[in-house]
Amino acid sequence: MTQRVTIADVARAAGVSPTTVSHSLNGRGQVDARTRERVAQAAAALGYRPNRHAQRLRTGEAHMIVLLSSMPFAVAGGPSRLGFLMEIAAVAAAAALERGLAMVLAPPLETGHAPLDLLDVDGALVIEPSADDPNLEALRLRGLPVVSIGRQGGTRDPAPFVDLHSRQATELLLKHLQDQGARRIALVVGAAERNSYAQAQAAYDEMVSAQGMPRLCLRVDEALGEEGGFAAAAELLARDAAIDAFCVPVDAFATGVARFLAQAGRRVPQDVMLATRYDGIRARMSEPPLTAVDLHLDEVAHLAIDLLFDHLRGDTTRRTVAGPAPELVLRASSRRLP
């Protein structure tokens, strides 16, 4: 993580006090022209950028945060653009206003990149960032406070985050499928290095090892969306026609799996059960409706805004907040037994 250059750093380089630096750069106070020039040169040499969010908090001016996801629209958006991203956005925007923060939504693009250089923001919420998330890295380089919803994947130094309990959510789904009689469970997850995918994989690997089940797993490019799930189901069933359940944490992939099963004449749940993680509009509108997990995203959004507000004020004590425990939502796609 790049260390932000502070006023104290500029003060040491210029041989003046932090107050003199502040007055010089902001055109306040009685500072002679030579000193102002020396401070300006030191700031330029160090690459100092004013901490606007701190300035605005001190002066009481309105300030702006951004909510974004690096997941491609095929995964993050959902049908009618009412997916995971928008469910969080609706609550986060209201929670932000309660804190005097305005929130702008940066919609996911096909590449997963957002045009952050065009946004004059003071902090950010990032949804389930990957290890090399381009948006999160760009925000960090600008020295902005960032909170992630879900732990950043593949790093020992993640951004402050609200824990979504991804492993526990997958364990709920896998246990339920086993309780309903599944003995050959396949897993379909995203190929990106996201914590939720790694945790789902870990829970699945532990289950197949403990139960002596065959390991039937595929990682799919997120940009493929529903078509990726469709192709994964075709490949896995060609590999093992006796698969009796699919655990598919990404809802876009899950609807693709459901479509393949219907076209292949596999009845759900009689022949093959199906469950996903996110209890969103895709899960509810599927035929049959999909068993899913309630992640309590309304509470998660409030927790994320509270954590980000702390960091905006300079209170970086908390770096991890536990989200509410996930709960199974039973639907027809996995109900075999009473």
Side-chain angles (χ1 to χ4, degrees), residues 99 305-316 318:
R99 295 287 199 175
I305 289 291
D306 287 345
L307 182 58
L308 178 58
F309 190 75
D310 284 350
H311 282 251
L312 282 166
R313 291 187 296 115
D315 180 0
T316 59
R318 295 191 305 159

Side-chain angles (χ1 to χ4, degrees), residues 159-220:
F161 66 96
V162 178
D163 190 355
L164 292 178
H165 307 294
S166 296
R167 178 162 183 152
Q168 184 179 348
T170 306
E171 288 171 346
L172 283 174
L173 295 172
L174 294 172
K175 183 179 186 304
H176 166 66
L177 293 172
Q178 290 178 81
D179 289 346
Q180 293 295 300
R183 295 297 176 262
R184 301 179 84 83
I185 303 174
L187 176 74
V188 179
V189 293
E193 197 173 359
R194 300 192 194 279
N195 183 67
S196 60
Y197 300 160
Q199 292 298 307
Q201 185 80 66
Y204 178 79
D205 288 346
E206 182 177 307
M207 179 207 70
V208 297
S209 177
Q211 300 298 324
M213 292 184 184
R215 189 176 185 279
L216 301 159
C217 177
L218 275 182
R219 298 182 74 94
V220 177

Side-chain angles (χ1 to χ4, degrees), residues 186-266:
L187 176 74
V188 179
V189 293
E193 197 173 359
R194 300 192 194 279
N195 183 67
S196 60
Y197 300 160
Q199 292 298 307
Q201 185 80 66
Y204 178 79
D205 288 346
E206 182 177 307
M207 179 207 70
V208 297
S209 177
Q211 300 298 324
M213 292 184 184
R215 189 176 185 279
L216 301 159
C217 177
L218 275 182
R219 298 182 74 94
V220 177
D221 184 347
E222 294 170 335
L224 296 174
E226 185 176 313
E227 294 305 318
F230 185 96
E235 181 176 339
L236 286 166
L237 283 166
R239 186 189 306 176
D240 188 339
I243 289 173
D244 56 8
F246 279 90
C247 178
V248 190
V250 178
D251 59 343
F253 295 161
T255 54
V257 171
R259 183 160 59 86
F260 177 83
L261 294 174
Q263 290 189 17
R266 300 287 187 108

